[in-house]
Amino acid sequence: EALNRVSAELDTAPRGESDSRHSPFRSLKVDETAEHSAGWLHELYFANCFDPHSEVYMDSVAYLRLERDFGTFADWQKDLMACAMACGNGWAVCGYNIFLKRYVTTIVNDNSHDVMLGVYPVVVIDMHEHSYSRDYLTDKRSYLVAMMRELNWNVIEERFKRAEAIHEAVK
């Protein structure tokens, strides 16, 4: 809804040559980025979480690539958890970086700050306070451990396969 509103306003926004950081056009473009990213990050998160019966297999593309790029699967888990714990109000993301040609973990603050360019998300964890405070109060770590146990590896495996196709396309 908010993205649609911003998009509609952009349709008629003046596109002057002003370099002002306070122009209405600039403000709408910033809002567009935030609303677009928030929508997609939420979609990715809800799709890759909340499956308590999901398992990752040692011969899966996801497992093999995470082990390759982080040393061990456990090292990847530690790295993603460190990103999530360091995240203020935002997202912990593991994704394929087309420039580095490897999987990385990163933080997206709020919904659109500190975004690493060239990253195709494969695992997304919501670290906004609203995602954990009802059940965990201020205990982000317990929330995070629960989320890591409920990652939907079927969804994540499909994302890894798409990332591998991206890798082949940008070689």
Side-chain angles (χ1 to χ4, degrees):
E1 183 178 317
L3 180 57
N4 290 338
R5 179 192 52 77
V6 170
S7 294
E9 289 181 37
L10 273 168
D11 289 343
T12 59
R15 287 162 171 75
E17 293 184 20
S18 170
D19 64 355
S20 171
R21 291 184 51 90
H22 304 290
S23 75
F25 182 76
R26 180 190 185 285
S27 179
L28 287 168
K29 291 305 281 184
V30 168
D31 290 349
E32 179 186 45
T33 298
E35 296 300 336
H36 174 82
S37 295
W40 279 108
L41 286 164
H42 277 96
E43 288 292 323
L44 292 165
Y45 165 71
F46 286 124
N48 75 199
C49 287
F50 311 114
D51 185 350
H53 305 293
S54 184
E55 295 180 36
V56 62
Y57 297 100
M58 292 175 73
D59 63 346
S60 68
V61 174
Y63 189 96
L64 292 170
R65 295 304 179 265
L66 292 171
E67 191 170 66
R68 177 194 70 196
D69 291 347
F70 290 89
T72 67
F73 187 80
D75 287 340
W76 166 75
Q77 289 176 308
K78 289 176 192 171
D79 200 76
L80 184 63
M81 289 183 69
C83 278
M85 291 301 292
C87 186
N89 199 27
W91 305 87
V93 176
C94 175
Y96 180 74
N97 185 300
I98 63 170
F99 303 116
L100 300 175
K101 298 187 180 347
R102 65 181 300 274
Y103 292 89
V104 299
T105 59
T106 188
I107 294 168
V108 176
N109 282 310
D110 295 319
N111 291 316
S112 62
H113 298 131
D114 309 313
V115 176
M116 185 184 291
L117 290 178
V119 173
Y120 174 78
V122 293
V123 178
V124 176
I125 299 179
D126 189 347
M127 293 305 295
H128 288 91
E129 187 176 329
H130 67 254
S131 65
Y132 60 83
S133 62
R134 181 174 176 218
D135 295 323
Y136 297 92
L137 301 175
T138 59
D139 188 1
K140 287 170 51 170
R141 184 161 190 69
S142 291
Y143 158 77
L144 183 56
V145 168
M147 288 299 97
M148 295 292 283
R149 286 188 183 130
E150 294 188 0
L151 290 176
N152 186 328
W153 287 100
N154 292 326
V155 168
I156 293 167
E157 181 70 6
E158 289 306 311
R159 290 180 188 166
F160 268 87
K161 289 177 181 175
R162 286 192 295 276
E164 293 297 302
I166 292 168
H167 172 76
E168 291 301 316
V170 297
K171 269 186 172 179

